[in-house]
Amino acid sequence: MTTVIEERRIRRGQALPMKRKAALVRWGIILGLLLLLEVLTRAGAISPAIFVPPSEIIWRLFSIVPTPQFGRDAFVSLSTILVAFLIGLVAGIALGVFLWRVPTAGRVLEPFIVTGYAMPTLLFYPVLLALLGLNAGPIILIAATMALVPIALTTMVALNAVKPILHKLAKSVSASNRQYYLKVLLPAATPLIFPGVRLGFIYAVIGTIAMEFILAASGIGFRVGFYYRELQTADMWAYIMIVVILSVIVNGLLTAAERRIRRDML
């Protein structure tokens, strides 16, 4: 046991410098790209109607964030994303468990789910708008549906990948259904479900921002579309940068949680 722990520590120690080098390379690429864009925009090689110097975007970003308008837009978008993601998470896991528990249903429904995965759900927005009205309902429903599909598919795959010995172990100790799911299946399947959860969150963000861009009265996506139509390129890109920063932060948190879970499972 001690030897295994020591080997893991050695591997982690060897991997740490490589991770730092990779991080430095990534930051170098980002800074180099920003510098290149700064030079090209200042030289007039890129039209101001398309892109403005990154330094101006960053300055506008710091000017926008403290305003009450941004606070309202951020609250609307973040609450919509969170609600849609939670609905997609719960419904996706439940659907994945159902497809796993009823293999016939899984074989029949999986092609339809995969088709829905590839089909742009945004096309149904006019129909949902007519049914639910001009409110957050259609946006939440579309974003939740986009998040649901990858979570359901990865849940089904993860449960199918659980080792048979674990099922036999649960039966041998007469585990209840609750113990079977919470103590055996969930810990074993979580490392494989997590990539679908991360992808589901990304789709929830895409669905929310895209729908706000098309037709909404508030939100970060609405503000991007508003400044686009008003030809205020710097403000438009500042709001786009906010979306990118939000996505990177949440993706980093989910990645860290996934690594922790995988490490605990080993």
Side-chain angles (χ1 to χ4, degrees), residues 22 24 34 37 43 82 166 177 185 202 211 238 246 260:
L24 289 174
L34 291 176
L37 289 172
L82 182 60
L166 295 178
N177 285 334
L185 292 182
I202 293 172
M211 286 297 94
L246 170 65
R260 178 64 182 271

Side-chain angles (χ1 to χ4, degrees), residues 179-191:
Q179 292 172 330
Y180 179 52
Y181 280 98
L182 296 182
K183 302 293 185 179
V184 178
L185 292 182
L186 184 61
T190 296

Side-chain angles (χ1 to χ4, degrees), residues 86-99 144 147-153 155-156:
L86 290 177
I87 293 174
L89 178 65
V90 174
I93 291 177
L95 178 59
V97 172
F98 170 74
L99 296 176
L148 178 151
V149 176
I151 295 174
L153 291 176
T155 299
M156 182 182 65

Side-chain angles (χ1 to χ4, degrees), residues 13-174:
Q14 292 174 343
L16 189 59
M18 295 181 64
K19 290 181 179 178
R20 289 176 178 172
K21 290 180 181 178
L24 289 174
V25 171
R26 283 195 294 267
W27 279 108
I29 292 173
I30 293 172
L31 293 176
L33 180 61
L34 291 176
L35 181 60
L36 177 62
L37 289 172
E38 185 79 21
V39 172
L40 292 176
T41 50
R42 295 289 181 185
I46 299 177
S47 171
I50 298 175
F51 199 80
V52 297
S55 58
E56 185 177 344
I57 295 173
I58 294 172
W59 180 82
R60 289 300 303 149
L61 178 65
F62 283 104
S63 301
I64 288 171
V65 169
T67 62
Q69 174 184 280
F70 171 76
R72 290 190 296 269
D73 289 333
F75 175 77
V76 170
S77 294
L78 290 176
S79 59
T80 303
I81 291 170
L82 182 60
V83 171
F85 174 65
L86 290 177
I87 293 174
L89 178 65
V90 174
I93 291 177
L95 178 59
V97 172
F98 170 74
L99 296 176
W100 168 74
R101 288 289 295 176
V102 186
T104 302
R107 287 191 292 271
V108 172
L109 297 178
E110 185 178 0
F112 295 102
I113 297 174
V114 173
T115 301
Y117 190 33
M119 184 174 57
T121 317
L122 308 180
L123 295 175
F124 295 101
Y125 185 72
V127 178
L128 295 175
L129 189 63
L131 293 175
L132 301 178
L134 184 58
N135 52 52
I139 299 176
I140 292 175
L141 186 56
I142 286 179
T145 303
M146 293 175 67
L148 178 151
V149 176
I151 295 174
L153 291 176
T154 52
T155 299
M156 182 182 65
V157 171
L159 291 173
N160 283 325
V162 174
K163 296 179 181 179
I165 187 65
L166 295 178
H167 301 290
K168 295 178 181 178
L169 177 62
K171 290 181 180 179
S172 67
V173 298
S174 301

